[in-house]
Amino acid sequence: MKRKHLLAFSGIFLLTTALVGTAIARELTDEEEAVVCKLKDVAEEAGRDGYDLAFWPVVRKGPPQVSAPLTILLDPSIEYVFVGYCDENCSDVVLNINTLSGEELKSETDNLSVLPFEPPYTERYQLSLKMTDCSVEEGCVYGLGIFTPRGATVPGSSDLPEELAQFEICK
């Protein structure tokens, strides 16, 4: 009897998960797609130069002047390349790398910001991305990619597949 209840519960759980997963999935906006595809182009170019994504790329939407900080453990034996990009409704992206005490170590501002960085010591740093301007009231879409030399052992990095599913829309 208990086994039947467990099987029924398992079936209901799987069905609910499938329905909720389908309800959560949605089409990307044109702006989101543009940012994802730009990050894919950058990843392909970086790959030709011997760099790979070390972490899953981040794509979000937000208002101008809002900072999107990310705390990350960096190794001084690795040269990192941080890339920030925003959609066509945004003028520039500011990428900053700071110590956790707030000291700015390096900064780059551009529509496609590329910030190479070799940390002075193994430590947690704060990487932040801020859009300087956004012409649409509901916010602009931005993306962030973190690249390292191919084969580097990166602390806390993601084990990414050769082909990222989120880049599949950019064929």
Side-chain angles (χ1 to χ4, degrees):
M1 184 73 173
K2 290 182 182 180
R3 189 175 198 173
K4 287 182 184 176
H5 289 292
L6 183 58
L7 288 174
F9 174 75
S10 296
I12 292 169
F13 177 75
L14 288 174
L15 180 60
T16 304
T17 302
L19 291 174
V20 169
T22 303
I24 291 173
R26 65 172 179 79
E27 293 288 320
L28 294 179
T29 65
D30 290 344
E31 292 81 8
E32 289 168 327
E33 188 173 325
V35 171
V36 167
C37 293
K38 184 61 165 185
L39 287 176
K40 179 185 182 207
D41 292 345
V42 169
E44 288 174 350
E45 185 176 330
R48 288 189 290 274
D49 293 338
Y51 285 79
D52 288 326
L53 277 165
F55 300 90
W56 288 97
V58 174
V59 176
R60 300 281 186 269
K61 186 175 190 173
Q65 300 300 321
V66 170
S67 180
L70 174 67
T71 301
I72 183 170
L73 178 65
L74 300 180
D75 181 329
S77 68
I78 299 171
E79 178 187 17
Y80 297 83
V81 178
F82 305 109
V83 176
Y85 179 73
C86 60
D87 68 33
E88 70 275 355
N89 298 311
C90 169
S91 60
D92 279 324
V93 169
V94 179
L95 280 179
N96 288 340
I97 187 82
N98 298 343
T99 63
L100 291 183
S101 63
E103 176 190 356
E104 183 178 290
L105 301 174
K106 201 162 184 186
S107 181
E108 168 72 19
T109 303
D110 204 341
N111 185 265
L112 175 63
S113 291
V114 178
L115 181 66
F117 181 68
E118 291 184 51
Y121 42 84
T122 298
E123 188 64 64
R124 293 195 183 281
Y125 295 87
Q126 186 175 53
L127 173 65
S128 64
L129 179 148
K130 180 172 69 171
M131 296 178 289
T132 59
D133 190 32
C134 178
S135 62
V136 291
E137 191 173 311
E138 59 274 3
C140 291
V141 177
Y142 61 87
L144 175 67
I146 301 173
F147 298 86
T148 57
R150 186 169 293 121
T153 303
V154 181
S157 68
S158 305
D159 188 19
L160 300 178
E162 284 283 322
E163 298 291 324
L164 295 182
Q166 86 189 96
F167 289 161
E168 291 297 313
I169 62 167
C170 306
K171 294 190 179 196

